[in-house]
Amino acid sequence: MKLLNKSGMRSMFLGAAAILAMPISLSAQDFSGETIEWTIPFGVGGGTDVWARFFAPQLSDALPGKPTVVVLNVPGGGSISGANQFAMRASDDGLSILGTSASTQYPALLGDPRVRYDFADWTAVLASPTGGVVYVDPKYGVTGPQDIDKLRGEEIRFASQGATALEMPVLLGFKMLGLNIKPVFGMESRGAGRLAFERGEAGIDFQTSSAFISSVQPLVDGGKAVPLFTLGVVDADGNVARDPSFPDMPTFVEFYEQATGAKPEGEAFEAWKALMLAGFSLQKMVVLPKDAPAEVIAAYGDAAKAIVEAPDFRQRAGDELGDYEQLVGPDADAALKEALTLDPGIQQFLTNWLSEDYNVRM
Amino acid sequence: MFDIALSALGQVMSGGHLAFLVLGVCVGLIVGILPGLGGIAGMSILLPFLYGMDPVSALGMLIGMVAVIPTGDTFTSVMMGIPGSSASQATVLDGFPMAKRGEAARALSAAFTSSLLGGIIGALVLSFAIVMARPLVLSFSSAELFMLTIFGLSMVAVLSGRSLTKGIAAAGIGLVIGSIGTAPATGEARMTFGIDYLYDGVPLVVVAMGLFAIPEVIDLLKRGTAISETTGLGGGWGKGMRDVLRHPWLVARCASLGCVIGALPGLGGAVVDWIAYSHVVQTSRDKSQFGKGDVRGVIAPESANNACQGGALIPTLLFGVPGSGSMAVFLGGMVLLGIQPGVTMVETRLDLTYTIIWSLALANVVGAGLCVMLARPVARLTQVPFVYLAPFMVMIAMFAAFQASRSMADLVALIVMGAVGIYMRRFGWPRPALLIGFVLAPGAENYLYQAVQFYDWGWITRPGVIIIALITVVSVFLGLRFGAEISSEGESDSADQQTRGRQVAFAGLLLLVAAYCVFEAAQLSFLGMVFPLIIGILALIASLAVVLRIRSGRAAEIHDDDASLTLAGESSGRERYLAIFAGLVALIWLIGFIPAMVVFFPAFLIIAGKARPLTAAMMTAGAVGFISLITWAMTLRLPEGLLGLTLF
């Protein structure tokens, strides 16, 4: 059936025509006149949607033949529905691409039964990292790691979207620090969580870098929030570096070390790093089916590189993408393969933790 | 501040910006008229223009689109009895009977005039609120929001028509249907029967279309005339405008209601029209015409739903948290333009803030103006024999339903909900009550859990909670005391006492649904169980009461508008038409949307409408062309069909 695939045939003919017409540039991939459908498994206006809509016109410009790139929002199941649909239907001629986010990666990592997709079937061509900051209500009188005992002495509420959502490594971090955090699940977005903090319902909160800069920094300046630590930037080898957006803020690892007097280690820390890698170091990714022809994948890699290396990219990306290095082409894919292979022991640890602490069964 | 506001007005009014605003308005009207499409579809048309535009024009265009969606959707609600979007569900109750009575133009112009006034009031409130609304929005915590959902549910008392018991049972079933999917507190699957589609719950568009559109189409087909029963268009647009001017306080009250409800993130525009509608019913002395074509029933929701957009902009701009679905789209657009909404923006970029406010007011004027001009010609459609309109309406309904989650299951769910709607109509169950329960279920559960977890049981004693509770009690009291005479389900048949068996059977079916909800809830963890258990028991008791009352022949619960035909051993054709639509869904599933329409249109027009083949061919081409154009222009999708996928 795959051989009879219409668009596959079309690209074969196109390929043949290209070979006849331009015998010199054999590998040139041409998308002229084509429409590329970019599935975004989230609703309009959310972080991943805005991210895709930022890249879509640039991708259209940078791909050979300047194809039209349209964003197709398929919300539902916290991104699982859209990703499932993509896994089932996507054509492997480069005309179907998918945008993923932490909430697409985590359930796949944990073996959620609703997941019908496998990241191993996909090739990443662009990955956008992000970071995040944890901050508390000043009423606890906590300013840094030295006050950890004060923090531990309180039951603090945390407004969260869900145990397996973006906040997962944050929740695990709280557990490692021995804090008595009571998460309130079911927030519609991180923004709704921040509102709960502003209302004084939640005592501790977490926002991604761009949201922190635009919405929490004014609270910090007004004395209504105290930043504790960033999550840091985790590389494939498990090294945790300071967040380039907040170079003066300690990372979770530094905070932990100063609070407890020892470096974090053990299964929990390995699991934390794995979650950081899969959900933050590569928070949003552009993937396409790995069966796509090599020159198609190469064309995407080159396009992503061209976009990211454009002189005014940083300026246009602004706070939304932050000061993080975008991974493109084979680098992105290598990072994906690394991030999505989870040691079975760690996976077991995570599922046990979710089931014991939050009653979530995978 | 005043000078900034004026200079912002100057900028918005200058030629280029105004042109973009009008462009946005036009897109918004189209999106509003087509049921099931919301800001997403509008955004995908406007997006290509957004790049490289200056923020003033771009914001004007986006606001122009978002602001008039609740203006355009009135056409569909009044003319077809289908809610054009969730904000105009209540307009159907009186707007559609007016159209049937030959007063479509009057209903439309009253609706547009009140939309205009409501929208302007919304913009006015926004311009003052933006500087001081922060504490207000922050004072609404999950506890107050939960109480507001209860207030919303209390509207059932007003909208139940003759039988409050049926209303409560219907709302209970709505709550049960609304809690299908993943439990918000624990993530457990509930009543999904292992079907992936149900994990996210049934989409609102599908439920609203199934409950209202399918039964209306079938009912009109059954009657076999045009929508309008009279030939003249009636008083026309001047009369509608005078209707609105006669009720200035009603407009002001409903617009204020709309602003406040819009300003609370989480509750959304889907209930604002019901609350406004109930408000007008409660406060009117003569209630006898509500549900039969009272123009006040059009004015109230329409003034509220446009004002709601102004209110919804408050949390969007102040906190960057969208106040409604279409505001999420607007928020995304702002971020794309490189504008970060939030207190910082409101304080430091006051010029942009005022640009948004002026655009909102202007868009309402332009949108209402365009619609008033179109009202009379469009109203003529109500005089076309309905059998010619029916396939268009079915096509639009299926197209809209499919856009909900782009799954064939959307269409299956549409037919199932259609069947529920048909029998609810036939046996006199208030469909609005079910819809309200459905809309409020997720909010009610979520906010209750959040309130309990944030405040333990102390949430009950919060002043805001107590105030809303008192308002709710007064509202229910008024609703019951003055016994609403509104009937959303038409008249019964004189022989209705003799078909009690069938009526009991349908009520029994709903009872089984409630019982299943209780049964399934009992197997969940505590937090996943509490809510479905409570609403399940509520629905169970209420539907049991209905069964008993029908059996004992209580007049308030007895209703069957098909009784005489059934007794004569004939069928009114409802089941037949439903079967035809189900067949159409099967055909779409098999060969895809467009091919299925190419088969269905001429077949229906020639067999049922006795159209000449040439006419049928032309209408088919027009319809298919139209839907293809919309799909292409808005980068939407249509079902592809099993056969097509296999062949290619």
Side-chain angles (χ1 to χ4, degrees), chain A residues 42 48 61 68 108 112 121 153 156 159 182 190 192 195 201 204 214 241 269 272 274 288 307-308 312 340 342 361-362:
Chain A
F42 297 93
T48 309
D61 262 353
T68 314
D112 188 312
D121 293 336
I156 306 177
K182 188 177 162 197
R190 287 300 329 135
L195 266 190
E201 294 174 335
I204 198 163
S214 64
F269 186 52
W272 181 84
L288 58 162
I307 295 170
V308 168
D312 61 340
L340 273 291
L342 198 59
R361 284 173 231 297
M362 277 300 164

Side-chain angles (χ1 to χ4, degrees), chain B residues 97-158:
Chain B
M98 283 180 79
K100 281 185 186 165
R101 216 163 55 196
E103 292 188 322
R106 178 184 169 197
L108 288 173
S109 74
F112 298 137
T113 314
S114 32
S115 292
L116 164 70
L117 294 176
I120 290 182
I121 294 175
L124 223 107
V125 169
L126 174 65
S127 57
F128 288 108
I130 204 78
V131 275
M132 48 197 175
R134 207 177 152 78
L136 180 80
V137 176
L138 279 182
S139 67
F140 273 86
S141 72
S142 42
E144 282 80 17
L145 287 171
F146 172 69
M147 273 320 292
L148 275 176
T149 60
I150 298 294
F151 176 64
L153 281 173
S154 77
M155 298 303 151
V156 168
V158 182

